[in-house]
Amino acid sequence: MEKYTFSFSAMGCPCSIQLYADSKDQALQAKEKAISRIKHLDFYYTNYSPDSFTAEINKSAGQAKGIKVDPEIKGLLDYAQNCYAQSGGLFDITAGTLRAAWDYQSTTPSIPSKKHLKSLLECIGWHKVNWQESTLPPHRRDEY
């Protein structure tokens, strides 16, 4: 067996795969499968693409019908709900909303105002998510 290393870019950073294979063809096939899966995860779950499924979930907030999710997302949301419960609320995937307070691309970063942070904090809390089987209905303001 020989060691093979492949570099690529995903999730906004340089990545590398190191694997052992009997031949270069076998290594290339394994590399393609692994990178394909990573690219799927990158596209599906990224916050940086307006076309990702994560963006679709975020866009569905406030819509009366909510959004249907596939079994993969359902499993992740069930897991997130479990982690939230077991951690007493310390693990909370809704906290990602706070990212909107900071401009990571800015050359002149600044601290967000208390008013802005307060408005974002109102949207945070897994207990505010109305998670029902395979549908993520929208938040209701009166639940806050």
Side-chain angles (χ1 to χ4, degrees), residues 59-80:
K59 288 177 205 170
S60 76
Q63 294 177 2
K65 64 181 179 187
I67 188 170
K68 285 277 188 193
V69 298
D70 65 21
E72 182 176 344
I73 297 282
K74 179 192 178 309
L76 288 171
L77 292 173
D78 286 344
Y79 184 71

Side-chain angles (χ1 to χ4, degrees), residues 2-6 17-25 27:
E2 192 173 334
K3 180 179 176 182
Y4 295 89
T5 301
F6 303 98
I17 294 176
Q18 295 180 2
L19 55 94
Y20 287 89
D22 290 328
S23 69
K24 185 166 186 166
D25 284 344

